[in-house]
Amino acid sequence: MREALSEAEQAPRTGDVPIGAVVVDAEGRIVSRARNVREANADPAGHAEIVALRSAAQAAGTWRLTGHTLVVTLEPCAMCAGAAVLARVDRIVFGALDPKAGAAGSLWDIPRDQRLNHRPEVVPGILAAESHELLDYFFASHRPVR
């Protein structure tokens, strides 16, 4: 998670929300790392998780990331939780809960939906305070003072 936080710290340089992600293989090696690039790349799908999953799949030479863990600083949204399920990751680890858009337990629970054919383990709250702090600082500097 510290590596994902390090990625998140880089995102505001391009105006992106500070969210970072890494994908770890079964041996515990980081095989990809990413940060949000929606603003930097004018890409609505430029979420850290999507970028990290794509890079991990290229490194593995397959879209099936069985044995891998997605680690992200903020609870994945519906798009990212769905992508993790479809990529067949074994585990999703995240820091801060996202009560407005979280889809790994807060607002929705896509990874544990019994109707899906793959259900990764979900591990929430890892270094949540640090993840919240990055987000709070970013949004405080982007909101008008009242």
Side-chain angles (χ1 to χ4, degrees):
M1 182 60 78
R2 294 227 182 266
E3 294 296 324
L5 283 164
S6 178
E7 285 295 321
E9 290 170 355
Q10 306 305 312
R13 293 180 183 175
T14 58
D16 281 288
V17 176
I19 299 170
V22 297
V23 176
V24 180
D25 69 12
E27 288 76 41
R29 295 179 299 236
I30 294 175
V31 296
S32 71
R33 49 182 81 233
R35 65 187 72 98
N36 270 14
V37 293
R38 290 190 319 166
E39 298 296 332
N41 295 350
D43 179 3
H47 290 206
E49 301 96 320
I50 299 296
V51 177
L53 289 168
R54 283 180 178 152
S55 178
Q58 285 203 325
T62 179
W63 62 267
R64 291 178 186 88
L65 296 176
T66 304
H68 290 71
T69 298
L70 171 65
V71 180
V72 61
T73 57
L74 182 66
E75 179 180 2
C77 69
M79 174 180 68
C80 295
V85 168
L86 293 172
R88 309 295 196 269
V89 299
D90 285 1
R91 188 173 303 99
I92 301 169
V93 175
F94 67 87
L97 291 170
D98 185 354
K100 293 183 180 179
S106 289
L107 190 55
W108 298 287
D109 199 350
I110 292 170
R112 291 178 278 223
D113 190 317
Q114 295 296 311
R115 296 168 292 182
L116 299 175
N117 66 338
H118 180 73
R119 288 179 291 283
E121 175 187 8
V122 176
V123 181
I126 306 302
L127 299 180
E130 290 89 336
S131 297
H132 273 294
E133 186 178 316
L134 276 175
L135 292 163
D136 289 346
Y137 180 78
F138 176 82
F139 285 114
S141 67
H142 285 77
R143 290 190 178 118
V145 178
R146 295 179 189 205

